[in-house]
Amino acid sequence: MSLYDSSFPQMTRMLGQVLVWLDKAEAYAQKKKFDPEVLLTARLAPDQWNLRRQLQNVIAWPLRLSALLTGAELPQLETGDETIAELRARIGKAIEQLNAVKPEQLKGAEDRTIPLFFLPGKGMKAPAFVFGFVLPNFYFHATTAYSILRHNGLDVGKSDFIGSLDLRDL
């Protein structure tokens, strides 16, 4: 399986599910009569990033991976006080950007050594970087965002995390 097939469709799909979670969060807040923006500051533990920062990372990882594998300029990681509407818009834009990436743009990417921003002078071969670092980080932040919402009373389940399945008749 190519680096493209093993990462981009799954991350794009998960970003779409995040939009579902945000829809449910806003509906939940409306039903319970509170400002949904307060959820963005919620966290599971005092030393853990809040929902906003988790979502910012869910958006950032696929875009950073795209840039690193295609040789494009790295996008800046947004860490400001974005609203739900602003995060939603960024997710939509990220989905568009990821859908624009074509498998042929990653031709030869398997042979690239990706520099690690947190370990100057060190890098990883692209497959190890994708499977051992990017995807685990992406899903860590997605799972944590989902868990923060669930912890705060949002009625979401596994199907809200996974999304629809491409079922076939046997």
Side-chain angles (χ1 to χ4, degrees), residues 11-55:
M11 291 189 292
T12 303
R13 180 178 172 175
M14 183 58 64
L15 285 169
Q17 289 310 114
V18 172
L19 292 174
V20 171
W21 308 343
L22 292 176
D23 289 343
K24 287 191 164 205
E26 289 178 316
Y28 175 71
Q30 183 177 18
K31 179 181 175 185
K32 295 289 188 175
K33 297 182 179 23
F34 70 88
D35 182 358
E37 298 294 321
V38 301
L39 292 170
L40 293 175
T41 61
R43 60 184 80 222
L44 294 176
D47 63 344
Q48 190 175 47
W49 285 343
N50 62 29
L51 177 63
R52 178 184 290 116
R53 188 78 182 270
Q54 301 293 345
L55 293 175

Side-chain angles (χ1 to χ4, degrees), residues 82-141:
E82 294 175 287
T83 65
I84 290 175
E86 291 166 335
L87 287 164
R88 184 185 297 282
R90 283 194 48 231
I91 292 167
K93 185 176 177 184
I95 290 170
E96 286 177 20
Q97 289 175 282
L98 294 173
N99 284 332
V101 176
K102 302 301 176 214
E104 54 271 14
Q105 290 177 268
L106 276 61
K107 186 174 179 155
E110 303 86 16
D111 299 325
R112 287 183 189 227
T113 299
I114 308 297
L116 300 177
F117 62 90
F118 57 92
L119 288 175
K122 300 291 183 187
M124 296 174 76
K125 291 299 273 184
F129 181 71
V130 170
F131 299 119
F133 187 71
V134 173
L135 289 175
N137 269 286
F138 175 77
Y139 283 110
F140 172 84
H141 293 292

